[in-house]
Amino acid sequence: MSEMTGAHPIVVLASSRAVVEGQLTAATVVISRDTGKITSIFHSVLPASDFPPGTVYTDHSPHVLLPGLVDAHVHLNEPGRTEWEGFYTGTRAAAFGGVTTVIDMPLNAIPPTTTVAGLREKVQAAQGKCWVDVGFYGGIIPGNAGELRALVQEGVRGFKGFLIDSGVPEFPAVSSTDIALAMATLADEPTTLMFHAEMIPPIAASVGDGVTWSLPPLAPIGPLNEYSTFLASRPSSFETYAIAEILSLAHVAPNLPLHIVHLSAIEAIPLLQDAIANGVKITAETTFHYLSLAAESIEDGDTRHKCCPPIRTQANQDGLWEELLHDGGCIKTVVSDHSPCTPNLKLLPPTIAGSSNVNQPDKQDEQDQGDFFSAWGGVSSVGLGLSILWTEGQRRGITVEDVVQWCCKNTAKQVGLESDKGDLAVGYDGDVAVFDDEGAFEVGEEAMLFRNKCSPYQGMTLKGVVKETWVRGHKVWERDGRGFGKDGPSGKLLLERRQ
């Protein structure tokens, strides 16, 4: 490898292996430092001598040049819950793992992104703190339909609503009436309407909305620190019932793209397949944790694994992989759903490996330690996803082209960035992840760059190492050299109106 540094207006990245326009090939990628765009691609490794003196040039062979990942589901929580996460720490963690664009969820910041004022407050909080490019989702909650079109004009990349309690009071669940109103309001807008699809089924055909939307009618059956008890409390029927409800309303806005976030239950797949076959515009995502973790392996009290919908069985995980690998399947994207909190909210007991590295709960909470029902639900993994997926995917025969399809091209398309992000092609942003597909690392604190070092992946060995991350032609992360350097965050806030 030869590398030259200087102030020349182009950057050149080459490798014997690069995923260019979806295909693995040798490539030399030329990026303008002025515009941040890819200006030319050669399908061979050109030598440094082919470029003017002073050109920044690196031949990364045999490592793979990937388009920077687009993580379309991240909770950065700023402002309001910055002790959980923040723009600086969350985007730094993303860059560590080759993620060059994150889309921030409308919760759990305070205020949530359910109004234009809330979005503007979030944008102000993000100024000068983002290591990678950041876009924003809006939220749908009861009573905010009048804000939705204005939020589209302000540049949100889509909208998300919950059909079940979100866990935070400022982001209440929506009813079928609210969903229909949001669909009608957004019917002709360039956006995507997304749902956390869990809903408590009625206990009998005759019950009304009051029972349908109430808390579960029965107490948990079994010890609260056993994962099986928690899993049984959120069965697959929660997801299938919610998805059926969404599909029953799709006729309200037949041209509006719909999307199911973090699909967990394989029982929902036939519903989605049938809807797609009948012309409904709906897609689904799943997450790195649903594709790599299984209920059978979760120890009692290890609340680092708690999330909603829950991590299900190994057989369920296998079914998600089968659909993901199926051409034309309904699962199009894989995301992190990074949903962190302060470690004390996880109520992690000292018996769990790694617990010495997190703050223990206060003494008055000792009786709740390991309680899956009292602990906060969310898995921390931003910046680890590429390696998680590559590690699990090795035994399933995935390729780097598959990873690009699920985590770059399709996620960019989901949020309306498919003309700028998610591919190595002329005219696209010069976002590049240099990936050592043979390397490995142990997930210690130095690999968990998110604010709170509490993750079910702690202590695991993952295959696949990001060596460098480039955002619009600027190197923001280098594993074996300068780290993050001294230039500081230079990520862009993606606020152009979606087309």
Side-chain angles (χ1 to χ4, degrees):
M1 177 182 76
S2 66
E3 182 169 348
M4 303 178 293
T5 59
H8 197 273
I10 62 171
V11 169
V12 179
L13 305 177
S15 179
S16 56
R17 295 189 298 159
V19 181
V20 175
E21 298 184 13
Q23 301 297 318
L24 188 64
T25 179
T28 302
V29 181
V30 182
I31 307 168
S32 167
R33 297 181 110 183
D34 294 330
T35 66
K37 297 287 186 179
I38 297 173
T39 57
S40 56
I41 296 178
F42 302 91
H43 290 271
S44 62
V45 177
L46 301 182
S49 57
D50 280 10
F51 298 94
T55 298
V56 176
Y57 173 96
T58 310
D59 178 0
H60 286 286
S61 302
H63 302 327
V64 188
L65 302 184
L66 301 177
L69 275 66
V70 178
D71 192 339
H73 193 144
V74 177
H75 295 265
L76 293 174
N77 301 336
E78 187 174 359
R81 290 191 175 94
T82 313
E83 70 276 14
W84 292 16
E85 193 60 272
F87 288 105
Y88 187 94
T89 52
T91 59
R92 201 166 180 259
F96 171 89
V99 176
T100 55
T101 305
V102 301
I103 311 298
D104 179 52
M105 279 289 161
L107 71 166
N108 299 302
I110 302 174
T113 318
T114 53
T115 65
V116 169
L119 173 63
R120 290 175 177 171
E121 190 167 339
K122 183 174 282 190
V123 168
Q124 181 61 37
Q127 298 292 334
K129 298 178 182 177
C130 299
W131 291 88
V132 302
D133 290 352
V134 176
F136 302 92
Y137 289 122
I140 59 168
I141 60 171
N144 83 323
E147 295 275 351
L148 302 184
R149 289 196 183 108
L151 282 165
V152 173
Q153 293 295 325
E154 292 283 321
V156 298
R157 312 309 307 180
F159 292 88
K160 178 187 180 183
F162 277 71
L163 278 72
I164 199 168
D165 180 34
S166 72
V168 292
E170 67 275 1
F171 205 94
V174 287
S175 68
S176 298
T177 302
D178 298 319
I179 294 170
L181 180 56
M183 287 179 170
T185 302
L186 296 170
D188 298 317
E189 296 291 341
T191 194
T192 300
L193 186 54
M194 312 184 302
F195 299 96
H196 178 125
E198 285 185 291
M199 189 176 179
I200 301 164
I203 58 175
S206 62
V207 300
D209 284 349
V211 174
T212 302
W213 297 98
S214 70
L215 293 173
L218 298 176
I221 300 175
L224 302 186
N225 71 329
E226 290 186 7
Y227 187 75
S228 59
T229 307
F230 173 66
L231 179 58
S233 77
R234 302 196 72 122
S236 299
S237 59
F238 278 32
E239 293 188 68
T240 55
Y241 187 65
I243 289 171
E245 185 72 10
I246 294 161
L247 293 174
S248 75
L249 298 166
H251 68 277
V252 173
N255 294 319
L256 177 65
L258 307 176
H259 183 75
I260 305 301
V261 301
H262 49 50
L263 180 71
S264 166
I266 57 173
E267 291 85 349
I269 290 172
L271 292 174
L272 294 168
Q273 290 172 333
D274 289 346
I276 293 166
N278 287 299
V280 177
K281 291 186 174 182
I282 190 164
T283 55
E285 70 189 37
T286 194
T287 68
F288 302 118
H289 45 277
Y290 296 144
L291 294 173
S292 63
L293 304 173
E296 294 91 336
S297 301
I298 299 175
E299 296 181 29
D300 291 352
D302 193 351
T303 54
R304 295 174 300 177
H305 294 80
K306 181 188 175 180
C307 58
C308 299
I311 295 163
R312 302 193 188 276
T313 63
Q314 183 62 57
N316 187 87
Q317 182 196 115
D318 293 341
L320 291 173
W321 271 105
E322 182 179 352
E323 181 66 9
L324 181 64
L325 288 164
H326 171 58
D327 288 340
C330 62
I331 301 175
K332 300 295 186 184
T333 54
V334 185
V335 297
S336 71
D337 185 17
H338 174 69
S339 185
C341 65
T342 52
N344 62 297
L345 296 179
K346 275 296 188 182
L347 302 175
L348 196 65
T351 55
I352 298 299
S355 63
S356 60
N357 295 325
V358 300
N359 298 324
Q360 291 302 306
D362 296 334
K363 287 187 179 297
Q364 62 265 32
D365 294 328
E366 285 182 357
Q367 64 180 1
D368 294 327
Q369 288 183 8
D371 182 342
F372 281 97
F373 292 82
S374 297
W376 174 258
V379 171
S380 294
S381 67
V382 68
L384 300 177
L386 173 57
S387 301
I388 293 167
L389 190 64
W390 190 245
T391 302
E392 178 63 27
Q394 292 306 285
R395 66 187 185 91
R396 300 180 186 271
I398 72 168
T399 67
V400 286
E401 296 100 311
D402 292 328
V403 172
V404 168
Q405 191 71 36
W406 303 328
C407 302
C408 306
K409 290 177 69 71
N410 288 353
T411 45
K413 183 178 180 181
Q414 177 186 319
V415 296
L417 292 171
E418 67 270 27
S419 296
D420 297 298
K421 305 284 189 183
D423 203 355
L424 297 182
V426 173
Y428 278 64
D429 288 350
D431 299 344
V432 182
V434 180
F435 184 56
D436 176 3
D437 58 327
E438 294 294 334
F441 66 100
E442 182 176 326
V443 181
E445 288 201 14
E446 71 284 350
M448 298 186 291
L449 299 191
F450 33 86
R451 185 179 299 279
N452 295 293
K453 318 304 182 188
C454 184
S455 172
Y457 296 101
Q458 185 171 2
M460 291 188 184
T461 297
L462 300 179
K463 186 174 183 180
V465 175
V466 174
K467 307 295 284 187
E468 293 182 5
T469 301
W470 294 73
V471 179
R472 287 177 284 103
H474 296 275
K475 188 194 298 183
V476 298
W477 160 249
E478 182 179 6
R479 188 179 185 89
D480 299 326
R482 66 189 184 111
F484 285 93
K486 299 178 180 179
D487 294 337
S490 60
K492 178 183 177 183
L493 304 184
L494 305 174
L495 295 170
E496 300 84 358
R497 184 180 184 271
R498 183 169 171 174
Q499 299 301 312

